[in-house]
Amino acid sequence: GQWAKALSSHHTKLSSSSSIPPSPLPQFIVAYDDMSQIPLNVQIYHQYTQPAQRYFFSNIQKMKGEDAVGLIKNRGRVLLLVYPPPGDMALDAVKQYSKFEGND
């Protein structure tokens, strides 16, 4: 959620300064995680704590990468994989992503 938060905050800052036009998408950032390798204790860092609100994106949806890229609402978006786990997940997600026209 840290990269999603950073990208979203930067986009909001640029949009409000009129440096770039606002995004036509209802959600500029759509973040997914399968939540299998959370490095922080979610009992301590949760949505009601200040560190979580300040440093993490608030709307991370739980889903596998290859399932997320197949959703219609994600077609034509940029795919950013941040620290994918060892194994085939990253390759499978990119293969699924590249199946759809508009994703390159």
Side-chain angles (χ1 to χ4, degrees), residues 19-46:
S19 297
I20 60 170
S23 173
L25 300 170
Q27 283 184 286
F28 180 68
I29 303 289
V30 182
Y32 299 94
D33 196 321
D34 70 359
M35 310 294 182
S36 64
Q37 297 185 18
I38 303 294
L40 300 173
N41 184 333
V42 294
Q43 300 301 320
I44 298 170
Y45 297 100
H46 53 78

Side-chain angles (χ1 to χ4, degrees), residues 1-7 9 40 45-46 49-58 60:
Q2 290 174 304
W3 275 103
K5 176 71 171 186
L7 290 169
S9 296
L40 300 173
Y45 297 100
H46 53 78
T49 62
Q50 186 178 15
Q53 292 174 5
R54 183 177 294 162
Y55 300 111
F56 299 104
F57 194 65
S58 61
I60 299 174

